Amino acid sequence: MPVSDSREPPSPVADRYRALLDVGRKLAGTLNTKGLYAAIHQETARVIDASRFFISLHDRERDTARVVYFASDGVLQESLAPYGVSEAEAVGEGASMIGNVDAAAHAALMLGEDDGARILSSMSVPLVNKGVAVGSMTVQSLQADRYAEDDLGVFRVIADITSVAIENALHVAELERRRHEAERMEEIGRALVSSLDPSEVLKEVVGAVNDLLSVDGAAVWLNSEPGGADFRVAEATGVVTLPVGAEWDATQAISEGLLDMKGPMLVDDLAASDLVPAHLRELLEAGSGLMAPLVLDGELAGLLSAGSRTPRFFTREDVAVLQRLANQASVALGNARLHAHLQALSLMDPLTRLPNRRRLQIHLEKEIPAARRGRDLVVAVFDLDNFKRVNDTLGHVTGDEILRAFALVLEGENRAMNLVARYGGDEFLSVLSDTDMEGAEAYVKRVAERLDTHPVLSPHGVTASVGIAAFDEASMDRAEDLIGAADADMYRNKAEHGGRGTTAPEANLPGSS
């Protein structure tokens, strides 16, 4: 006679607790946050009706929470806007809740929608980490009276396991984020070291913002003048790329606030904010924005911005990353400013503050090709007469004063588009672009008249010998050929006038009879 199996069939309670063991094993081995949230949903649905299921995490400092996972009837939904923690009982007070029709209001609050007509049962439990509620889990059903106290007990156990699993996954995600950030910072550092062009570094910075914060767009805004509030886009990238040159006349409140805080500013809802003008909100496609100041020498030099087309909950980690990248961008701008300053000094005569011989050469190398294409180009060389005697008789302090005053006369009589340079010692050279010989002679005459009445130069009887030459493509190949021709003309004029300058009132102008 066959032996019958006398064991009782497994009870629903036993099934549930075996399922809980499976939940623990599966969640413990899932370290990717997105995969973890999906696994939590899947394992919860094995033992509890989870027609709708969502997980929320919150930030107590901002008293806000965000839905990090939401599925309805098996369909995963997009991330949703933040909501107030203090208004959500399961999160704000660390309490569990189970209810029927009225519980739908809790879900509508968290999801930003009104589904009260469909959701008939709801159950929420807090996610507690080290005695502190850090979020919540909610299940919902379309059946009335769907959840009982034993369901709530099982859901609490799942929540306890989930809290540990989420903490582990977030810790791993943070380590990975920091590793990735370190790699991008290293790339920016290499760009800082290898390039003096700030645009190259700024491209690296906005690319890193886009990558590390997973935003829709990032931009660097530079101030038109130190301490002002008129910003223009210098670099931008992303799905929503602001056009380079786009302007923003930021309010004083924003510019002063960023500078005073020396830290980022959050705009959770660009569409509802009056801080950003309408034309920029259209370009940004609304959503949320985050800005960090670029500070140089205590002044607001620009902004680093990150934007999302949809409402976005920027975390404290996001804020910290943006500020670190803004600091790198500030270093890049500081290096560029220092380089530009040093380059300007290297191209400037320190006594007269005129361009020096090297700057003159660079300028003429750009003007000669234009002259070959038919544009008039004349240079005038000035040599102060008997300047050594001035230094020997009146001293070098007076000699320096005369050189500075003469430089100002040449600049004052020349057009802004042209260049006056100190060629060396007591020699100066004026480049007269788009000017013919007649115009050059008129320039020399104006200089002579100024010398005759100048309060510093006239009392010392300062005169200068002058030579002028026009570019001739047939006989001139280089800038040195043009300067040499003007120099030769100056020495001929000096010889003709017995060494007395052609800027003396009684002297004839070069080329005159």
Side-chain angles (χ1 to χ4, degrees), residues 470-485:
F471 178 78
D472 177 25
E473 186 175 8
S475 61
M476 298 176 184
D477 293 324
R478 305 172 303 160
E480 288 80 358
D481 298 331
L482 179 58
I483 296 172

Side-chain angles (χ1 to χ4, degrees), residues 141-190:
S141 173
L142 304 184
Q143 299 179 33
D145 301 317
R146 186 68 179 87
Y147 304 115
E149 287 298 324
D150 60 335
D151 296 308
L152 187 61
V154 171
F155 202 24
R156 285 191 185 119
V157 175
I158 295 175
D160 290 341
I161 299 171
T162 294
S163 298
V164 175
I166 289 178
E167 180 184 10
N168 291 339
L170 291 177
H171 179 66
V172 170
E174 175 65 11
L175 291 177
E176 176 61 21
R177 185 194 64 76
R178 290 185 181 182
R179 183 194 65 77
H180 188 41
E181 181 188 343
E183 289 177 351
R184 293 309 303 262
M185 288 295 185
E186 185 178 352
E187 291 172 6
I188 294 171
R190 284 197 296 268

Side-chain angles (χ1 to χ4, degrees), residues 206-276:
V206 294
V209 172
N210 219 47
D211 181 20
L212 294 175
L213 299 186
S214 299
V215 290
D216 293 316
V220 172
W221 304 73
L222 297 184
N223 215 333
S224 58
E225 60 181 39
D230 184 14
F231 300 99
R232 287 178 175 81
V233 174
E235 291 290 343
T237 190
V239 178
V240 180
T241 303
L242 291 170
V244 171
E247 298 182 357
W248 178 20
D249 184 8
T251 63
Q252 188 175 6
I254 286 182
S255 58
E256 289 182 354
L258 285 167
L259 186 58
D260 290 344
M261 292 188 301
K262 291 185 174 57
M265 178 179 287
L266 284 165
V267 182
D268 287 325
D269 187 356
L270 288 170
S273 173
D274 58 358
L275 296 177
V276 181

Side-chain angles (χ1 to χ4, degrees), residues 454-466:
H454 195 278
V456 173
L457 302 173
S458 180
H460 297 302
V462 174
T463 61
S465 295
V466 186

Side-chain angles (χ1 to χ4, degrees), residues 47-84:
V47 292
I48 297 173
D49 181 0
S51 300
R52 302 185 80 186
F53 175 85
F54 51 90
I55 300 172
S56 296
L57 300 179
H58 76 89
D59 182 341
R60 286 188 174 275
E61 289 185 6
R62 297 181 66 186
D63 192 36
T64 54
R66 60 193 172 104
V67 176
V68 295
Y69 181 91
F70 171 46
S72 178
D73 296 325
V75 179
L76 187 64
Q77 306 294 324
E78 293 292 330
S79 298
L80 297 155
Y83 61 90

